[in-house]
């Protein structure tokens, strides 16, 4: 999953980035509203975390302009915690509003919930035949037995499972699973798909030649 953090405070921006990366997200950042809006309009993110008091373009303007073209889930993170601010943010199109300071666990839980809902999923555990994927603990069980997956294997499985039934192109998978500075080889997706098939069954992920991958 790919996230964008738009936050002007360097220390906080890095902290949020580390929190998300530790939880398996690919994270891009922007230090001001203008750069953040440009990135949010040109890259397909799974979620945008948006501060309000930003230089160049404040968070309200970013939100308003983003909603003209994009439905990306937006979580507002702001020190402005008055009811009127939260109402304004939600009315402008934010999907959630979390006042600063916040706890790491709550931030990550809200991010997971927004991404699940945007993909039409309501539960934190996904079931595919005898495979159970826990999106909170990042654990996978098959027939009740824990299956050991690397972080990249889990993230690939999670993305395909959250979008179950939809053919996901290789380009979309690269965009959502690899950081901008990742030097991923062109066949790296095939390699990780083969790993998942060996661990979870050859029929779990289907290849749609010329289109991408799908979990039916």
């Amino acid at each position: 999953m790919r996230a964008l953090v738009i936050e002007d405070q360097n220390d906080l921006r890095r902290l949020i980035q580390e929190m998300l990366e530790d939880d398996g997200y690919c994270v891009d950042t922007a230090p001001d509203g203008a750069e953040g809006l440009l990135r949010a309009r040109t890259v397909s993110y799974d979620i945008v975390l948006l501060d309000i008091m930003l230089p160049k373009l404040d968070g309200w303007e970013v939100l308003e302009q983003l909603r003209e073209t994009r439905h990306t889930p937006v979580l507002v993170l702001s020190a402005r915690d008055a009811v009127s601010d939260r109402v304004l943010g939600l009315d402008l199109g934010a999907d959630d509003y979390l006042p600063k300071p916040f706890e790491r666990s709550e931030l990550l839980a809200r991010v997971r919930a927004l991404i699940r809902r945007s993909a039409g999923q309501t539960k934190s555990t996904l079931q595919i035949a005898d495979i159970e994927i826990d999106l909170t603990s990042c654990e996978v069980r098959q027939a009740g037995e824990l299956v050991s997956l690397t972080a990249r294997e889990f993230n690939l499985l999670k993305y395909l499972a959250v979008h179950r039934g939809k053919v996901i192109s290789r380009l979309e998978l690269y965009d959502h699973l690899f950081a901008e500075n990742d030097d991923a080889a062109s066949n790296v997706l095939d390699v990780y798909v083969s790993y998942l098939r060996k661990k979870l069954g050859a029929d779990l992920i289907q290849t749609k030649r010329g289109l991408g991958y799908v979990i039916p």
Side-chain angles (χ1 to χ4, degrees), residues 166-208:
K166 175 186 174 186
V167 178
I168 307 295
S169 71
R170 298 170 63 87
L171 179 60
E172 181 174 340
L173 288 170
Y174 275 109
D175 283 346
H176 287 263
L177 298 175
F178 294 91
E180 288 181 333
N181 57 356
D182 265 349
D183 187 21
S186 60
N187 68 337
V188 69
L189 276 177
D190 305 305
V191 172
Y192 281 103
V193 167
S194 71
Y195 290 160
L196 288 173
R197 285 171 173 158
K198 285 178 183 175
K199 293 182 178 182
L200 296 169
D203 297 329
L204 174 64
I205 301 173
Q206 294 184 0
T207 301
K208 298 294 183 182

Side-chain angles (χ1 to χ4, degrees), residues 29-44:
T29 62
D32 60 68
E35 181 179 332
L37 179 60
L38 179 63
R39 282 182 169 274
R41 278 176 159 171
T42 53
V43 178
S44 178

